[in-house]
Amino acid sequence: MVRLRQLLTVPQVAEEFQVTAQTIRNWIDQGVLPAVRVGRAFRVRREDVDALLERASAASSSLATSRNVWTPTDTTLPRSDDRRTPGSVWEEEDTELPAKRR
């Protein structure tokens, strides 16, 4: 028996996470949630939504009791892989800024 993969629309995923559709699009753009483009719209596999829910609950379960509310923490969702986002030029100490043109 061939099982078809269930593809969800961005609004369906947003409803499940109780966030806006733009938040889901941001997660797709940032690599947090894998998606495929069908025409001009994105579709997300049910397995990827479930995997993100698992990663988010695993990452937040230990933080809920030990987090200091007065200290800023990392609030991003865990990515599906270990790739690091490019750093900012402001983070590197030896980076020279481009000369200002007039």
Side-chain angles (χ1 to χ4, degrees):
M1 174 187 243
V2 175
R3 182 174 174 232
L4 297 175
R5 290 183 177 172
Q6 183 180 10
L7 295 177
L8 304 173
T9 63
V10 169
Q12 289 172 326
V13 176
E15 184 176 328
E16 187 163 334
F17 279 98
Q18 297 181 354
V19 297
T20 65
Q22 184 59 51
T23 298
I24 300 300
R25 286 187 208 96
N26 291 344
W27 291 353
I28 292 169
D29 290 343
Q30 296 167 1
V32 172
L33 182 63
V36 294
R37 188 178 282 274
V38 178
R40 293 181 60 190
F42 286 108
R43 296 292 186 267
V44 181
R45 294 184 320 168
R46 162 56 60 195
E47 297 88 26
D48 293 331
V49 171
D50 293 340
L52 178 60
L53 284 169
E54 286 297 318
R55 289 193 318 268
S57 64
S60 65
S61 63
S62 62
L63 293 175
T65 58
S66 63
R67 186 179 70 160
N68 182 351
V69 294
W70 301 109
T71 306
T73 59
D74 186 16
T75 59
T76 60
L77 291 171
R79 294 179 183 275
S80 60
D81 56 359
D82 290 331
R83 67 184 162 142
R84 178 139 167 91
T85 56
S88 169
V89 296
W90 306 110
E91 293 174 357
E92 298 177 18
E93 294 177 15
D94 299 334
T95 304
E96 286 188 35
L97 295 176
K100 185 176 179 181
R101 289 186 168 182
R102 292 194 181 232

